[in-house]
């Protein structure tokens, strides 16, 4: 679950975002604050992934809240004013939601935040690298090390994982390949990508993966197999 906090001096604004968070799936609202100063201590003391932060509040601005944070989550500014958008982006805010905003616009902001979280994790050696995908109306974290192979299903892909059920998401195989570390994965067929570490046996026309999973090798991908054999 992606953990969220909302800071806004208007209780109705907090209530609306809470509704959107529950509706989206894969998100958890940890707390909502009308007191911006109180929120600083909470965010600095807890693991927060996304912070929805109003800008114009009575005691302190959202920009000042952001400056006082020791731990920087993915921040989405929420405001009825356009004037602060540039300030937000210069401070590394991932999105700027102009009130009133729809659920569809909210979703776009969350997806940007998820990309930010993924990139942050990939740059942290203490965290398992992976990618977020949307599946069954939820954001799901896929750890690269758990992938056995990926299978194309026309407009969708099925990601086969070690130790859990496959995850299906609306994405092309080509697009997903671009998100994977190229040193760890091979595309061997127009319908298949395989994890190199899960390969147990290689033939010209097929691969055998973990748990005796057999994957065909396409004619146009023979050079991939030849290059793989030459390195191993």
């Amino acid at each position: 679950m992606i953990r969220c906090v909302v800071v806004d001096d208007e209780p109705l604004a907090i209530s609306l975002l809470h509704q959107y968070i529950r509706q989206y799936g894969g998100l958890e609202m940890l707390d909502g604050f009308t007191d911006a100063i109180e929120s600083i201590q909470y965010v600095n003391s807890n693991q927060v992934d996304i912070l929805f932060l109003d800008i114009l509040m009575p005691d302190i601005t959202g920009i000042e809240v952001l400056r006082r944070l020791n731990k920087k989550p993915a921040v989405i500014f929420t405001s009825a004013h356009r004037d602060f958008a540039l300030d937000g982006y210069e401070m590394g805010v991932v999105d700027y939601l102009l009130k009133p905003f729809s659920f569809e616009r909210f979703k776009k902001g969350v997806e940007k935040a998820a990309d930010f979280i993924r990139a942050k994790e990939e740059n942290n050696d203490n965290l398992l690298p992976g990618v977020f995908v949307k599946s069954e109306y939820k954001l799901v974290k896929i750890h690269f090390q758990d992938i056995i192979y990926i299978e194309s299903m026309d407009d969708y892909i099925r990601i086969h994982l070690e130790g859990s059920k496959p995850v299906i998401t609306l994405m092309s195989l080509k697009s997903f390949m671009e998100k994977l570390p190229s040193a760890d994965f091979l595309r061997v067929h127009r319908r298949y990508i395989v994890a190199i570490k899960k390969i147990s046996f290689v033939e010209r026309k097929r691969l055998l993966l973990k748990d005796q999973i057999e994957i065909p090798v396409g004619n146009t991908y023979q050079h991939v197999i030849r290059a793989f054999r030459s390195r191993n």
Side-chain angles (χ1 to χ4, degrees):
M1 298 286 283
I2 295 178
R3 293 154 294 210
C4 306
V5 165
V6 179
V7 182
D8 199 302
D9 62 311
E10 298 178 7
L12 285 177
I14 294 176
S15 178
L16 177 64
L17 274 167
H18 191 192
Q19 177 185 331
Y20 282 174
I21 287 167
R22 285 185 299 174
Q23 185 177 345
Y24 189 87
L27 304 179
E28 176 188 6
M29 182 161 168
L30 298 179
D31 214 332
F33 295 89
T34 54
D35 185 330
I37 295 174
E38 184 182 348
S39 74
I40 296 170
Q41 182 178 357
Y42 183 90
V43 174
N44 283 336
S45 304
N46 293 275
Q47 183 60 49
V48 177
D49 299 313
I50 301 178
L51 175 62
F52 295 93
L53 182 59
D54 189 20
I55 296 179
L56 293 181
M57 293 178 284
D59 298 324
I60 184 174
T61 68
I63 291 172
E64 186 59 31
V65 169
L66 187 52
R67 289 195 180 109
R68 295 191 191 184
L69 293 180
N70 299 325
K71 298 167 66 176
K72 293 289 196 301
V75 177
I76 298 176
F77 272 159
T78 62
S79 179
H81 305 275
R82 298 178 181 271
D83 303 342
F84 300 95
L86 181 59
D87 294 316
Y89 288 122
E90 286 178 347
M91 298 182 73
V93 171
V94 300
D95 204 0
Y96 192 103
L97 300 182
L98 189 64
K99 298 177 182 178
F101 49 87
S102 66
F103 179 64
E104 291 301 315
R105 182 62 185 86
F106 165 85
K107 288 198 300 183
K108 290 180 181 178
V110 170
E111 286 161 9
K112 288 181 181 180
D115 287 340
F116 174 88
I117 294 165
R118 173 182 58 79
K120 188 176 179 181
E121 290 187 351
E122 286 177 353
N123 291 329
N124 189 334
D125 293 336
N126 296 320
L127 296 172
L128 293 175
V131 62
F132 283 99
V133 300
K134 191 74 179 294
S135 180
E136 297 180 351
Y137 305 102
K138 296 180 181 179
L139 280 174
V140 180
K141 175 71 178 291
I142 304 293
H143 293 128
F144 294 143
Q145 69 173 27
D146 294 337
I147 298 174
I148 303 173
Y149 69 101
I150 305 103
E151 174 187 7
S152 172
M153 303 163 56
D154 297 323
D155 294 333
Y156 291 80
I157 58 171
R158 180 186 285 123
I159 307 166
H160 296 264
L161 302 168
E162 194 167 3
S164 63
K165 66 179 184 179
V167 173
I168 297 174
T169 186
L170 178 61
M171 188 182 298
S172 70
L173 204 63
K174 181 177 182 293
S175 295
F176 193 72
M177 185 68 184
E178 292 171 354
K179 298 178 181 292
L180 297 171
S182 58
D184 298 328
F185 292 87
L186 295 175
R187 184 162 185 180
V188 298
H189 191 278
R190 66 182 182 84
R191 298 183 69 88
Y192 295 101
I193 296 168
V194 301
I196 291 174
K197 291 183 179 178
K198 303 299 192 296
I199 298 173
S200 57
F201 186 77
V202 180
E203 289 185 349
R204 193 171 67 86
K205 290 288 189 179
R206 68 178 184 129
L207 299 175
L208 201 61
L209 306 182
K210 183 181 177 66
D211 299 329
Q212 301 298 303
I213 298 167
E214 188 173 314
I215 300 293
V217 176
N219 290 332
T220 57
Y221 294 89
Q222 291 299 322
H223 67 285
V224 174
I225 297 304
R226 288 194 295 270
F228 173 75
R229 280 175 162 172
S230 68
R231 297 195 307 264
N232 295 276

